[in-house]
């Protein structure tokens, strides 16, 4: 019996997953959700079926390498277990996806709070993925969990970036530490940490300018930001979230790889999952680089952020299985 | 991911074919498998890839290829030609009115780059077509969207029409009337990012299109978009009269396969590329270059153009000529580095050069390293600079250079390797892409050697084999 099905026999779990399902439901007629139909309609497990499986996964932007690897493993398992009925592949695929993500580990995506002291969370990523919006959403979440929050406007470059963050600050009801546009991001961050400590704030969320990972000088700037935070907080135990847009293709892997070189990425925030893109590249990111997904963005409102849950995610991808 | 680009892939596929003078169908199938993977890795849509590879196979199976003397070369050429054809015509102009008010409507998903591109376009068209542009702020959803556009407007000294957070339809209607009144002849409307499946937001943009009667409706798409590009472009194209696409963030290291998918699925031409965050970072879209970028063959033409634009033209031309003839020496290397440094963006330029990503730490060269390289080259004799073989062959020369420059022996070796790699890459390019060679020749820098001469030389050096 599939581990996945077992997990989903729990009513509560299914209810919790509804939100994901809604977020991803609009595309159920294409991509991964067609898996069920495919398996139902196939007579035997052959090259054609493997080809179609490959298509489903590639269409969800799971990295090409990872897909090839995945299908290969599937082949081996099918042979080992002597499976001939395509329908029996259902559980096997879902279970294997689980394995691919979990890798036998227990993944805790909760924020690691620096209990009794200031917790710093840094947001990085390429341009336009949703860093600033996610800060608004996460601030709202953390505040509703009873903690005090502050924001730092570390994007001093993009037109309107500071005002954008200030609007979120107002919506959430928290202070935003900012300097005028064009000032050194490190100095804003320095000030913000100081202020947050003075005010005994629990969590400081730091916004940074979007930067493409191949821009050496901008990546170096991020390195500098990191050093300031480490120095000022006296620890390197803080969260750094890489924000990735679900519509991103293979480049997502390069983003994760290169951002990891200058920052200790502790988790991915996968945004815009309310669209039709599946964000499968995060599976490749986990597979190749071991970086887990921490949150998913499901809309533009400050309430549209959920803790990532692999079960829910796969449920969203395969929701047809459970109707 | 050892063979990230097609050059590498083909090399592997062809290695198994040495000694054969003709390709069999099986060989072509094998090469097409590599092409297929390469395109998928570039984010070209799965279905588009499937059709494309099948079409190319059919062409390649034909006599044309099997009779050819250099079949491998022909396969590459067919792939490249077909891809270029698919990418569409060169430099499709904007259809703006000669007299009266022209209107451009910017549409697209969230964060694609509409607002930034609205500013870039206004500025570009003002310069190129001598228009008097105004911007309308019709995004009333994203926090501080209006301030963002205002800041862009201020930077460019272009007026931004806004009415705060009221119905976007009303803003657009009033804004257009205002523009006419004030004698503007170009209006660019910035709209909110929206999901193609968000019905009420799609209705809103349809209403705006209807009342603004835009001359151009430009779909802005992030070049990093994956498989979903097809859904997005198709849905927007069905809801609106999309007249063109703009591919943004091409200054990144993405291969940009979305461009091909969009073209193939919608037939809409891609008109501009966004190549940076600054407001001058916009270029007319070149399908041919995009084709080779997607294929992973590097974009030598872009490099040439960029170089000739921003750098002394003669210098760049002679550089290219040298690169193409394989007579690339230390003087040239140093010049090239300085050239690139002057352009101010190693990474951006580098990625356009064929095979650059295989050059290891090349993109990590900063001012300091340039200084070191200068010191090393400075310690070479003039003869050594002109004849790199001398340095290659003699360890005592390398020792002397190390001592003279104060750099380590291994650094000297690294530089030697760098030059060698660069030479090999250039030679490989020559063999790889006849069509770009031809267009280069058209651009008046005929390589000094004949093709066959170069090919012979290439063989001797163990370069790319065909
Ligand atoms: N549909 C949807 N839109 C989102 C989501 N998250 C962010 N957005 C939108 O994406 C756009 C860009 O978001 P920002 O938060 O400004 O992105 P950013 O990463 O801070 O951008 P830069 O600072 O310019 O690099 C905005 O229009 C957001 O409203 C999401 O989960 N779903
Ligand atoms: N590197 C690079 N960044 C770009 C380019 N075009 C836009 N950007 C950046 O992408 C991010 C989003 O750009 P915007 O112009 O705000 O995008 P938008 O489509 O208006 O976003 P919404 O209004 O939220 O939907 C910003 O950080 C821009 O600076 C480009 O060509 N290259
Ligand atoms: Mg931001
Ligand atoms: Mg905008």
């Amino acid at each position: 019996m599939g581990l996945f099905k077992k997990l989903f026999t729990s009513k509560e779990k299914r209810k919790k997953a509804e939100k994901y399902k809604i977020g991803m439901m609009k595309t159920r007629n294409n991509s991964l959700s067609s898996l069920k139909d495919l398996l139902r309609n196939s007579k035997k497990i052959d090259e054609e079926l493997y080809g179609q499986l490959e298509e489903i996964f590639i269409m969800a932007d799971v990295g090409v390498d990872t897909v090839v690897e995945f299908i290969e493993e599937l082949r081996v398992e099918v042979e080992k277990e002597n499976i001939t009925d395509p329908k029996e592949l259902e559980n096997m695929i879902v279970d294997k996806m689980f394995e691919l993500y979990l890798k036998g580990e227990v993944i805790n995506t909760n924020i690691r709070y620096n209990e009794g002291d200031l917790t710093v969370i840094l947001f990085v990523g390429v341009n336009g993925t949703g860093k600033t919006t996610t800060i608004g959403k996460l601030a709202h979440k953390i505040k509703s969990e009873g903690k005090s929050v502050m924001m730092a406007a570390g994007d001093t470059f993009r037109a309107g970036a500071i005002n954008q963050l200030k609007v979120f600050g107002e919506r959430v009801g928290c202070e935003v530490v900012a300097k005028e546009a064009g000032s050194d991001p490190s100095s804003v961050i320095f000030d913000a940490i100081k202020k947050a400590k003075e005010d005994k704030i629990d969590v400081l969320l730091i916004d940074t300018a979007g930067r493409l990972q191949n821009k050496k000088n901008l990546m170096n700037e991020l390195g500098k930001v990191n050093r300031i935070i480490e120095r000022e907080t006296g620890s390197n135990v803080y969260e750094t979230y890489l924000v990735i847009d679900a519509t991103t293709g293979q480049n997502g892997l390069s983003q994760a790889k290169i951002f990891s070189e200058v920052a200790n990425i502790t988790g991915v925030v996968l945004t815009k999952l309310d669209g039709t893109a599946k964000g499968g590249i995060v599976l490749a990111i986990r597979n190749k680089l071991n970086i887990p997904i921490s949150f998913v963005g499901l809309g533009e409102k400050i309430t549209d952020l959920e803790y990532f849950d692999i079960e829910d995610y796969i449920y969203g991808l395969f929701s047809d299985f459970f109707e | 991911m050892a063979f990230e680009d097609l050059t590498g892939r083909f090399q592997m596929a062809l290695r198994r074919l040495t000694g054969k003078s003709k390709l069999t169908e099986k060989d072509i199938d094998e090469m097409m498998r590599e092409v297929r993977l390469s395109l998928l890795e570039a984010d070209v849509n799965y279905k588009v890839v499937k059709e494309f590879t099948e079409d190319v196979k059919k062409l390649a199976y034909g006599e044309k290829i099997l009779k050819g003397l250099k079949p491998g070369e022909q396969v590459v050429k067919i792939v490249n030609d077909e891809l270029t054809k698919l990418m569409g015509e060169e430099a499709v102009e904007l259809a703006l009115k000669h007299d009266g008010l022209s209107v451009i409507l910017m549409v697209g998903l969230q964060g694609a780059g509409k607002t930034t591109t609205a500013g870039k376009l206004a500025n570009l068209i003002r310069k190129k077509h001598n228009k008097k542009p105004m911007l309308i702020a019709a995004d009333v959803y994203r926090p501080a969207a209006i301030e963002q556009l205002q800041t862009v407007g201020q930077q460019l000294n272009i007026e931004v029409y806004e009415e705060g957070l009221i119905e976007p339809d009303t803003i657009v209607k009033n804004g257009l009337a205002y523009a006419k009144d004030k004698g503007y002849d170009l209006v660019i409307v910035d709209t909110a990012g929206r999901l193609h499946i968000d019905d009420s937001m799609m209705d809103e943009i349809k209403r705006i299109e209807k009342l603004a009667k835009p001359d151009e409706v430009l779909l802005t798409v992030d070049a990093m978009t994956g498989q979903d590009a097809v859904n997005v472009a198709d849905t927007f194209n069905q809801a609106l009269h999309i007249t063109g696409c703009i591919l943004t963030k091409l200054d990144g290291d993405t291969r940009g396969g979305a461009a091909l998918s969009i073209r193939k699925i919608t037939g809409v031409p891609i008109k501009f590329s966004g190549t940076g965050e600054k407001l001058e970072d916009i270029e007319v879209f070149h399908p041919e270059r995009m084709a080779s970028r997607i294929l992973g063959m590097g974009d030598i033409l872009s490099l040439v153009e960029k170089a000739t634009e921003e750098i002394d033209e003669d210098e760049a031309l002679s550089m290219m000529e040298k690169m193409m003839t394989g007579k690339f020496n230390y003087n040239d290397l140093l010049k090239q580095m300085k050239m690139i440094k002057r352009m101010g963006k190693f990474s951006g330029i580098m990625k356009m050069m064929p095979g650059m990503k295989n050059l290891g730490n090349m993109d990590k060269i900063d001012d300091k390293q340039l200084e070191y390289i200068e010191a090393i080259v400075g310690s070479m004799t003039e003869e050594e600079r002109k004849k790199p073989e001398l340095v290659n062959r003699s360890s005592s020369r390398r020792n002397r250079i190390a001592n003279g420059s104060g750099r380590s022996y291994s650094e000297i070796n690294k530089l030697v390797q760098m030059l060698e790699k660069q030479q090999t890459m250039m030679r490989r390019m020559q063999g790889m892409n006849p069509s770009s060679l031809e267009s280069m020749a058209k651009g008046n820098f005929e390589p000094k050697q004949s093709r066959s001469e170069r090919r012979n030389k290439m063989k001797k050096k163990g370069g790319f084999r065909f």
Side-chain angles (χ1 to χ4, degrees):
Chain A
M1 157 117 176
L3 161 71
F4 188 60
K5 275 222 161 133
K6 231 185 297 180
L7 283 165
F8 263 102
T9 41
S10 141
K11 265 259 164 61
E12 208 174 311
K13 189 89 229 173
R14 293 185 62 157
K15 217 170 119 200
K16 187 169 156 255
E18 279 308 303
K19 187 147 184 175
Y20 274 76
K21 199 182 133 193
I22 291 161
M24 304 188 74
M25 196 162 58
K26 295 143 190 160
T27 53
R28 273 196 293 122
N29 53 349
N30 60 29
S31 196
L32 278 176
S33 48
S34 53
L35 184 63
K36 189 185 187 181
D37 287 343
L38 172 66
L39 296 178
R40 290 264 156 92
N41 298 331
S42 300
K43 290 197 179 59
K44 53 180 197 290
I45 302 176
D46 54 9
E47 277 317 300
E48 199 190 328
L49 180 59
Y50 283 124
Q52 283 165 320
L53 284 174
E54 185 191 74
E55 172 174 354
I56 287 174
F57 287 108
I58 286 184
M59 291 284 272
D61 286 318
V62 180
V64 177
D65 271 5
T66 299
V67 173
V68 171
E69 203 177 292
F70 184 84
I71 302 279
E72 212 32 61
E73 279 175 25
L74 203 63
R75 254 183 235 271
V76 171
E77 187 125 339
V78 164
E79 219 148 277
K80 205 177 82 196
E81 307 271 315
N82 238 327
I83 291 175
T84 50
D85 183 358
K87 281 195 267 320
E88 284 181 61
L89 272 181
E90 274 186 28
N91 282 337
M92 193 184 274
I93 290 171
V94 177
D95 284 354
K96 283 205 89 58
M97 283 194 70
F98 249 95
E99 275 170 37
L100 177 83
Y101 184 78
L102 294 174
K103 293 169 171 277
E105 291 169 23
V106 178
I107 303 177
N108 184 354
T109 53
N110 290 339
I111 299 170
R112 291 167 308 153
Y113 288 113
N114 195 359
E115 291 302 339
D117 204 343
L118 175 66
T119 302
V120 171
I121 307 182
L122 180 68
F123 289 78
V124 301
V126 297
N127 306 79
T129 53
K131 294 174 289 301
T132 309
T133 309
T134 304
I135 288 180
K137 293 173 180 176
L138 192 60
H140 173 76
K141 204 176 202 64
I142 292 173
K143 205 175 169 215
S144 62
E145 285 169 9
K147 291 189 156 61
S148 56
V149 185
M150 187 182 272
M151 298 174 182
D155 179 359
T156 57
F157 177 77
R158 222 272 319 282
I162 298 168
N163 279 333
Q164 187 188 2
L165 195 68
K166 282 184 176 162
V167 173
F168 281 116
E170 267 163 42
R171 284 187 192 168
V172 174
C174 75
E175 191 175 342
V176 179
V177 177
K179 287 191 170 179
E180 66 276 22
S183 38
D184 179 8
S186 298
S187 86
V188 179
I189 290 163
F190 178 89
D191 286 2
I193 294 175
K194 199 162 146 247
K195 185 90 175 39
K197 281 188 165 170
E198 276 166 18
D199 295 0
K200 302 235 173 328
I201 294 288
D202 296 322
V203 186
L204 175 67
L205 304 175
I206 301 178
D207 195 13
T208 62
R211 67 199 74 219
L212 297 178
Q213 71 273 21
N214 62 337
K215 310 245 158 136
K216 202 68 206 166
N217 51 345
L218 295 180
M219 295 309 275
N220 287 341
E221 181 191 272
L222 205 56
K224 188 174 155 202
V225 160
N226 259 321
R227 286 194 293 279
I228 299 274
I229 300 173
E230 267 174 45
R231 197 184 69 205
E232 293 311 307
T233 57
S235 80
N236 50 10
V237 200
Y238 56 88
E239 301 280 3
T240 304
Y241 291 134
L242 175 66
V243 182
I244 293 188
D245 184 328
T247 56
T248 309
Q250 306 283 307
N251 195 252
L253 195 57
S254 152
Q255 289 168 23
K257 202 161 128 201
I258 300 177
F259 272 97
S260 300
E261 285 168 13
V262 290
N264 176 29
I265 306 294
T266 52
V268 164
V269 179
L270 184 62
T271 60
K272 310 185 195 176
L273 213 50
D274 47 328
T276 49
K278 304 286 191 181
I281 196 65
V282 294
L283 292 177
I285 291 174
R286 168 68 186 164
N287 185 35
K288 299 253 169 188
L289 303 167
N290 262 328
I291 304 172
I293 308 147
S294 299
F295 293 95
V296 294
L298 295 162
E300 297 182 83
K301 297 192 301 297
I302 55 173
T303 48
D304 293 331
L305 186 76
E306 293 291 322
Y307 286 100
F308 178 77
D309 183 327
I310 182 64
E311 292 156 33
D312 296 353
Y313 182 67
I314 297 181
Y315 181 75
L317 297 178
F318 293 107
S319 48
D320 275 0
F321 279 174
F322 306 98
E323 269 158 15
Chain B
M1 291 207 284
F3 308 107
E4 280 156 343
D5 57 18
L6 198 61
T7 320
R9 288 186 178 288
F10 266 26
Q11 220 181 354
M12 276 316 283
L14 284 170
R15 199 147 275 165
R16 283 171 244 138
L17 303 173
T18 37
K20 285 190 204 172
S21 57
K22 284 179 182 168
L23 294 181
T24 62
E25 288 198 0
K26 197 171 141 258
D27 294 334
I28 292 170
D29 286 352
E30 193 173 336
M31 287 175 80
M32 290 317 292
R33 252 200 302 280
E34 304 298 342
V35 172
R36 177 179 173 273
L37 278 178
S38 189
L39 292 176
L40 287 175
E41 277 169 4
D43 288 322
V44 180
N45 182 270
Y46 190 89
K47 296 197 170 92
V48 174
V49 172
K50 202 166 170 181
E51 269 177 46
F52 177 76
T53 46
E54 269 156 27
D55 290 350
V56 172
K57 256 191 218 170
K58 271 182 225 139
L59 282 171
Y61 284 160
E63 275 175 75
K64 209 164 104 196
I65 186 80
L66 292 175
K67 269 189 191 159
L69 283 172
K70 310 224 159 27
E73 200 173 60
Q74 284 183 33
V75 175
V76 178
K77 190 166 161 31
I78 290 176
V79 170
N80 194 45
D81 287 355
E82 284 308 297
L83 208 56
T84 307
K85 220 180 344 178
L86 250 184
M87 290 302 308
E89 322 81 273
E90 186 75 28
V92 183
E93 286 280 332
L94 289 172
L96 301 178
K97 293 190 187 80
H98 284 294
D99 301 301
L101 181 66
S102 298
V103 179
I104 297 178
L105 184 62
M106 306 296 295
V107 302
L109 294 183
Q110 287 94 343
K114 294 173 295 299
T115 308
T116 311
T117 311
K120 289 178 180 179
L121 268 181
N123 184 40
L124 183 81
I125 301 171
R126 174 171 63 182
K127 268 199 246 162
K128 253 177 93 174
H129 300 275
N130 208 11
K131 296 252 180 220
K132 204 177 160 220
M134 186 192 91
L135 294 160
I136 295 183
D139 177 359
V140 298
Y141 306 97
R142 169 168 165 168
I146 299 172
E147 284 98 323
Q148 185 189 359
L149 193 68
Q150 279 173 327
T151 307
V152 168
Q154 265 158 28
Q155 283 168 6
L156 297 169
N157 204 9
I158 290 173
E159 184 173 4
V160 174
Y161 182 88
E162 59 102 358
E163 290 188 55
L165 306 179
I166 63 163
E167 272 286 297
D169 318 35
T170 316
I171 301 172
V172 174
K173 203 163 71 201
N174 296 344
L176 289 173
Y178 176 86
K180 269 185 204 145
D181 207 44
K182 289 272 167 167
Y184 287 108
D185 57 4
L186 173 70
V187 164
I188 300 182
V189 184
D190 180 35
T191 66
R194 65 199 73 225
L195 292 175
H196 51 296
I197 48 168
D198 186 333
D199 291 339
S200 69
M201 287 298 281
M202 288 308 278
D203 284 344
E204 177 197 279
I205 197 76
K206 281 191 230 171
R207 287 199 309 274
I208 293 176
E209 183 190 43
K210 215 165 165 187
L211 73 91
K213 298 186 195 66
D215 300 273
E216 290 274 354
V217 181
L218 299 177
L219 178 66
T220 309
V221 182
D222 186 325
M224 294 176 279
T225 310
Q227 298 286 320
D228 203 41
V230 163
N231 286 332
V232 175
D234 196 34
T235 319
F236 268 101
N237 191 39
Q238 280 176 31
L240 305 166
H241 303 92
I242 303 291
T243 57
C245 269
I246 299 181
L247 213 57
T248 62
K249 309 181 198 174
L250 272 168
D251 46 324
D253 61 6
T254 183
R255 301 257 295 277
L260 187 69
S261 310
I262 293 170
R263 267 299 300 186
K264 174 100 176 157
I265 298 292
T266 64
V268 169
I270 299 169
K271 295 193 171 174
F272 295 96
S273 325
T275 56
E277 294 183 75
K278 293 197 300 297
L279 294 170
E280 63 268 28
D281 294 334
I282 185 166
E283 286 171 19
V284 168
F285 182 78
H286 293 290
E288 190 181 347
R289 291 176 199 172
M290 196 64 213
S292 48
R293 176 171 178 156
I294 292 172
L295 267 179
M297 297 210 293
D299 194 347
I300 203 156
L301 290 173
S302 283
L303 177 71
V304 177
E305 190 169 275
K306 194 127 207 152
T308 45
E309 255 174 32
E310 295 184 21
I311 302 236
D312 178 74
E313 203 164 325
D314 289 343
E315 197 182 342
L317 284 179
S318 77
M319 180 76 57
M320 283 315 298
E321 198 174 301
K322 281 200 175 119
M323 282 163 121
M324 299 310 290
T325 52
K327 280 182 179 165
F328 196 69
N329 64 33
Y330 285 107
N331 285 329
D332 304 322
L333 184 76
L334 199 59
K335 239 193 254 167
Q336 185 196 21
M337 309 238 115
K338 285 183 183 163
M339 233 165 79
I340 290 167
K341 199 189 149 213
R342 247 185 295 157
M343 289 186 225
K345 42 198 140 166
F346 252 103
S347 41
I349 283 290
M350 285 316 227
K351 76 163 190 292
M352 289 186 222
M353 306 217 355
M356 270 307 160
K357 59 184 145 191
N358 300 339
L359 277 187
N361 286 334
M362 212 41 187
D363 65 337
K364 296 206 177 100
I365 291 172
D366 51 23
D367 285 0
K368 263 241 166 61
Q369 272 170 296
L370 181 62
E371 214 176 275
Y372 297 161
I373 293 174
E374 260 174 306
I376 296 172
V377 176
S379 294
M380 293 177 182
T381 64
E382 190 50 40
E383 206 190 2
E384 284 165 345
R385 284 181 225 170
K386 282 191 183 139
K387 292 188 185 156
E389 322 75 88
L390 293 177
V391 186
N392 292 7
R393 283 195 218 114
S394 154
S395 62
S396 65
R397 280 182 196 263
R398 274 175 284 178
N399 256 325
R400 196 207 70 238
I401 295 166
N403 287 334
S405 61
R407 306 313 312 166
S408 71
Y409 189 77
S410 73
E411 273 176 276
I412 315 293
N413 279 340
K414 259 192 216 148
L415 190 67
V416 169
Q417 280 163 14
M418 191 160 119
L419 186 84
E420 273 187 347
K421 272 189 192 160
Q422 186 116 343
Q423 287 174 331
T424 319
M425 283 303 159
M426 288 308 154
R427 288 194 202 101
R428 198 171 286 160
M429 239 342 252
Q430 290 175 303
M432 283 295 294
N433 194 351
S435 65
S436 69
L437 270 183
E438 270 156 31
S439 32
M440 271 193 179
K442 269 186 230 141
N444 284 335
F445 31 103
E446 197 98 45
K448 283 210 177 83
Q449 289 161 295
S450 75
R451 277 256 209 106
S452 64
E453 258 176 322
R454 271 185 283 119
R455 210 171 273 127
N456 283 336
K457 203 170 157 197
M458 211 154 65
K459 265 188 208 141
K460 259 185 265 152
K461 290 260 166 77
F464 199 67
R465 263 165 299 178
F466 277 113

